Amino acid sequence: MANDVVVIVEKSKCNPKSCGDYLCMRVCPRNKAGDECIIIDDDKKVSVNEELCIACLICPKKCPFEALKVVRIPKELKTSPVHRYGKNDFRLYGLPIPKKGRVVGLIGANGIGKSTAINLLSGDLNPNLGDWTKDASKKELIKFFGGTETQQYFEDKFNNKLDIAYKPQYIELIPKKFKGKVRKLLKKTDEKGLLNKVVDELEIRTILDRDIKSISGGELQKVAIAATLLKKGNVQFFDEPSSYLDIKQRLKIARIIRGLAGPENSVFVVEHDLIMLDYMTDLVHVFFGDEGAYGVTSFPYSSRVGINSYLAGYLREENMRFRDEEIKFVVKEPSRLIKREVMIEWPHLRKSFKDYHLEVEQGLLYKGEVVGVVGPNGIGKTTFARMLNSEVKPDEGLPDSKIKISYKPQYIRNKSRMTVSKYLNSFKDYSALKHYFRHLDLNVIMRRKLVELSGGELQRVMVAGCLLKKADFYLLDEPAAHLDVEQRMAVAMAIKEIIHYRHDASALVIDHDIMFLDFISERLLVFTGVPAVTGHATGPFSMREGMNKFLMELDITFRRDEKSHRPRANKPGSQKDDTQKRKGEFYYAT
């Protein structure tokens, strides 16, 4: 590489007429010296000659629209990119290594290149080896990856020896591309003649005759996975297969994916639920870099070592630190019997709908605590939250209406054209509390309108908005949805710190990411029953008692990693699994 500087120009944000006629060009030291570092492109927007850029960082600071980003690539990275989207655009270094008979996981922040890597390997995107003006030739690719397993992979691909099946990340696009019944879609993709087997395995028979546009997110996810399983593929890609699914469904999918790897098969998985990633994979590639600028694919590590290295923010074998702060899990001691002041108490609650009945046992939350809520989809967690928030009236029992509640609902639909900055500054406590949101990366989207935000961006903003309201009780329904691992931990820290700051407040958090709930919760409210038929809530329990109750229903045991203390799911039938079940200890034995 001639220069270790990466410059990103977001053309959609560049607005020369409103910045005083190319402000960045006027403040650039190289331009002042007579060089053409920043120039006017054919589209009348700016572009940057990275060979001349000295990374002074003046132009990105001066640009009022945050259209410019300048970063330095680590000196240790001496290779050329495997792909680059364009001049002053994102580039990816390295690719995951296909391993026959293994499930290979990809872990990293959003916008760091994981989906790009999958698209390059699957053939949806052709590698250009850094020259964005043309695709690389077969000869160039074979030479670039010479002597590696990736070389053999591309040779097999060129010789039509690979059958690729791909479960995309954005399943919400499926109804836009396909019209008709679920059955029609799956019959169309069934190349193995296993439709009935896969339908029963994924428990989707009841939706076969429903229109694809009318099914829920979780149902759509399972249909997308089913379509991938029905294709004849010796290379299979699953991009975020756990989204919209509850813990029981995630475990089922993880077991299915784990069983796909065979002597002639390769399987790749992108996943932000680290428990599921650890559970279903043999090897892991860590992706690091700078969001939206560049991404680097690490060497393959064993799943345990790779995930621990990712949490630590340091790859020892590559001597690469990519995060300043380590994500730490604490082994929680059993709750001490100390007198605590009650924040909110609810009586025995009942609510019946046409085909569904919910019963919630009497319970309470103490001031200053965060309580997690676990249970499958369709069991009544959101209905309970809406009863507490006085949106749904119980048939029996009435929650305390005097408690001031701040509620972040499960589904967020905000079509406001208000900017993020205006929305957050509408809360009088924002200036005093914004330090607690320091890791949510809200500063980079402050000028964006709420209606323009992605699912993950809107989630972070709405979590912040919920916590900024002055309330006695904070109720957050699936705050980790659409977020990557680091963002989930940042949200967890924000919730914990805000509750600690407010002293006399408490929080109830509903989510399906067990690692997230383990990190944030002091006690646990457990929902059991038959989804869409009956639900029964008990607790809150201590974490040990609550998790034992919940995991026993799922027939899975967890242990803590000896190094990182993160929760890990035991493989079914393993010695640890059998030992813990005999002892009745389903929750995080070391």
Side-chain angles (χ1 to χ4, degrees):
M1 293 178 59
N3 195 357
D4 61 356
V5 174
V6 172
V7 182
I8 302 298
V9 178
E10 292 191 55
K11 293 297 185 85
S12 61
K13 293 182 178 180
C14 181
N15 192 345
K17 292 182 179 180
S18 300
C19 73
D21 197 17
Y22 300 100
L23 175 62
C24 56
M25 295 176 63
R26 291 188 281 111
V27 299
C28 174
R30 296 303 298 262
N31 278 45
K32 287 181 178 180
D35 296 320
E36 293 187 335
C37 181
I38 304 179
I39 62 173
I40 302 173
D41 218 337
D42 294 338
D43 58 3
K44 305 301 180 184
K45 305 292 181 77
V46 300
S47 67
V48 181
N49 185 339
E50 293 172 351
E51 301 296 323
L52 296 176
C53 180
I54 58 174
C56 65
L57 302 183
I58 294 175
C59 62
K61 291 179 180 177
K62 291 290 186 179
C63 177
F65 304 107
E66 299 174 343
L68 291 157
K69 185 175 186 177
V70 180
V71 298
R72 285 193 178 276
I73 290 179
K75 294 180 180 179
E76 294 86 351
L77 191 65
K78 301 183 184 300
T79 61
S80 298
V82 68
H83 191 76
R84 184 172 177 177
Y85 281 102
K87 184 179 182 181
N88 303 144
D89 211 337
F90 181 85
R91 68 213 62 190
L92 175 66
Y93 295 85
L95 282 176
I97 299 173
K99 294 279 188 180
K100 290 182 178 180
R102 302 288 187 92
V103 180
V104 178
L106 282 61
I107 180 176
N110 286 331
I112 213 77
K114 303 183 301 300
S115 292
T116 295
I118 280 189
N119 288 332
L120 291 169
L121 288 171
S122 68
D124 281 0
L125 194 63
N126 294 316
N128 58 31
L129 305 183
D131 183 355
W132 65 89
T133 63
K134 62 181 181 66
D135 295 340
S137 67
K138 296 179 182 179
K139 186 177 180 180
E140 288 171 328
L141 281 175
I142 298 303
K143 182 180 179 182
F144 186 86
F145 293 110
T148 68
E149 290 166 279
T150 310
Q151 174 196 349
Q152 185 61 53
Y153 179 86
F154 277 103
E155 285 185 350
D156 289 344
K157 187 171 181 295
F158 296 143
N159 294 324
N160 298 317
K161 293 182 179 180
L162 300 183
D163 291 315
I164 292 172
Y166 177 28
K167 201 293 290 182
Q169 175 185 3
Y170 299 109
I171 58 170
E172 58 270 22
L173 298 179
I174 295 175
K176 297 179 181 179
K177 296 180 179 179
F178 179 85
K179 308 297 181 184
K181 308 291 186 185
V182 171
R183 187 189 301 274
K184 181 181 176 182
L185 171 62
L186 295 182
K187 278 187 174 181
K188 185 178 179 180
T189 59
D190 186 13
E191 299 173 350
K192 298 178 179 178
L194 298 175
L195 179 60
N196 286 325
K197 179 179 182 295
V198 171
V199 161
D200 289 336
E201 201 168 20
L202 293 178
E203 299 176 338
I204 54 175
R205 187 167 294 279
T206 57
I207 65 168
L208 285 180
D209 294 314
R210 288 172 57 188
D211 197 284
I212 196 77
K213 66 182 180 183
S214 69
I215 61 177
S216 68
E219 291 165 339
L220 188 58
Q221 182 71 270
K222 290 196 283 186
V223 169
I225 292 170
T228 307
L229 296 174
L230 290 170
K231 292 178 182 177
K232 289 181 179 178
N234 52 15
V235 184
Q236 293 164 304
F237 298 90
F238 295 89
D239 199 345
E240 298 191 24
S242 77
S243 298
Y244 301 101
L245 301 182
D246 62 39
I247 179 65
K248 186 176 182 179
Q249 295 166 337
R250 292 180 186 195
L251 286 167
K252 180 183 285 290
I253 296 302
R255 287 167 180 161
I256 291 171
I257 291 175
R258 183 161 184 81
L260 294 176
E264 298 301 320
N265 293 352
S266 302
V267 183
F268 292 89
V269 182
V270 176
E271 184 53 68
H272 292 304
D273 185 329
L274 294 190
I275 290 178
M276 293 301 104
L277 186 74
D278 189 18
Y279 187 71
M280 74 177 93
T281 61
D282 302 292
L283 301 169
V284 163
H285 287 274
V286 177
F287 281 67
F288 60 94
D290 194 292
E291 180 184 347
Y294 74 96
V296 183
T297 310
S298 78
F299 300 143
Y301 296 91
S302 70
S303 297
R304 176 181 177 272
V305 172
I307 292 174
N308 283 349
S309 297
Y310 177 71
L311 293 173
Y314 177 65
L315 299 170
R316 186 179 300 276
E317 288 77 2
E318 300 170 55
N319 191 28
M320 183 68 67
R321 176 160 294 283
F322 55 89
R323 193 190 321 111
D324 293 332
E325 296 181 23
E326 182 178 357
I327 298 174
K328 296 180 179 179
F329 290 82
V330 178
V331 179
K332 298 169 184 174
E333 297 179 0
S335 300
R336 296 177 182 176
L337 295 175
I338 56 175
K339 189 173 182 180
R340 305 174 70 177
E341 190 174 350
V342 174
M343 177 72 260
I344 182 172
E345 186 171 2
W346 58 86
H348 191 105
L349 301 172
R350 292 179 188 270
K351 180 65 181 178
S352 293
F353 298 93
K354 182 179 179 182
D355 300 311
Y356 173 76
H357 176 73
L358 173 64
E359 184 171 354
V360 181
E361 301 292 343
Q362 181 179 357
L364 56 83
L365 267 68
Y366 298 111
K367 289 186 177 181
E369 75 170 343
V370 179
V371 171
V373 182
V374 293
N377 283 333
I379 207 71
K381 302 184 302 297
T382 296
T383 299
F384 170 64
R386 296 181 67 198
M387 284 196 290
L388 291 180
N389 198 43
S390 302
E391 293 181 20
V392 172
K393 186 177 180 180
D395 298 332
E396 178 186 320
L398 196 63
D400 187 353
S401 59
K402 297 177 182 178
I403 296 294
K404 190 174 181 181
I405 295 176
S406 180
Y407 179 41
K408 199 289 294 181
Q410 177 183 6
Y411 297 110
I412 308 169
R413 297 179 180 88
N414 196 313
K415 296 183 179 181
S416 170
R417 300 196 64 80
M418 182 188 298
T419 65
V420 173
S421 176
K422 187 174 181 179
Y423 171 73
L424 294 177
N425 280 289
S426 69
F427 298 96
K428 64 179 183 180
D429 287 341
Y430 178 62
S431 295
L433 300 181
K434 63 181 179 181
H435 171 73
Y436 296 113
F437 310 118
R438 61 194 179 280
H439 297 308
L440 295 186
D441 293 330
L442 299 177
N443 58 310
V444 298
I445 58 174
M446 281 296 194
R447 295 178 185 273
R448 303 262 301 279
K449 295 180 175 64
L450 293 175
V451 71
E452 299 170 345
L453 300 180
S454 68
E457 291 167 340
L458 187 59
Q459 183 76 268
R460 280 143 48 202
V461 172
M462 292 298 108
V463 167
C466 174
L467 296 174
L468 284 168
K469 294 176 184 175
K470 190 74 179 292
D472 304 309
F473 176 46
Y474 295 85
L475 182 52
L476 298 102
D477 197 344
E478 297 198 27
H482 306 295
L483 304 183
D484 63 37
V485 178
E486 294 183 44
Q487 292 167 347
R488 292 179 188 195
M489 294 301 106
V491 163
M493 284 303 302
I495 295 171
K496 291 175 72 171
E497 289 180 355
I498 288 289
I499 296 302
H500 178 74
Y501 168 82
R502 296 207 187 272
H503 301 300
D504 58 351
S506 60
L508 196 69
V509 180
I510 302 168
D511 214 275
H512 293 299
D513 188 327
I514 297 299
M515 185 176 290
F516 175 81
L517 289 177
D518 175 73
F519 186 86
I520 197 174
S521 306
E522 187 174 340
R523 293 193 298 150
L524 212 59
L525 184 65
V526 181
F527 279 72
T528 57
V530 180
V533 178
T534 181
H536 186 206
T538 52
F541 303 101
S542 68
M543 287 298 289
R544 178 179 179 180
E545 185 180 358
M547 274 296 183
N548 269 333
K549 180 179 177 66
F550 178 58
L551 297 176
M552 192 177 295
E553 289 262 332
L554 298 176
D555 193 33
I556 186 171
T557 59
F558 278 50
R559 69 189 185 280
R560 285 200 183 274
D561 184 80
E562 295 177 359
K563 183 176 181 180
S564 66
H565 303 303
R566 63 182 171 89
R568 302 183 69 196
N570 293 318
K571 301 294 189 291
S574 66
Q575 184 176 351
K576 286 183 180 293
D577 182 56
D578 290 340
T579 300
Q580 287 182 223
K581 284 179 179 176
R582 283 197 303 270
K583 292 181 178 179
E585 288 288 352
F586 285 69
Y587 176 60
Y588 308 165
T590 53

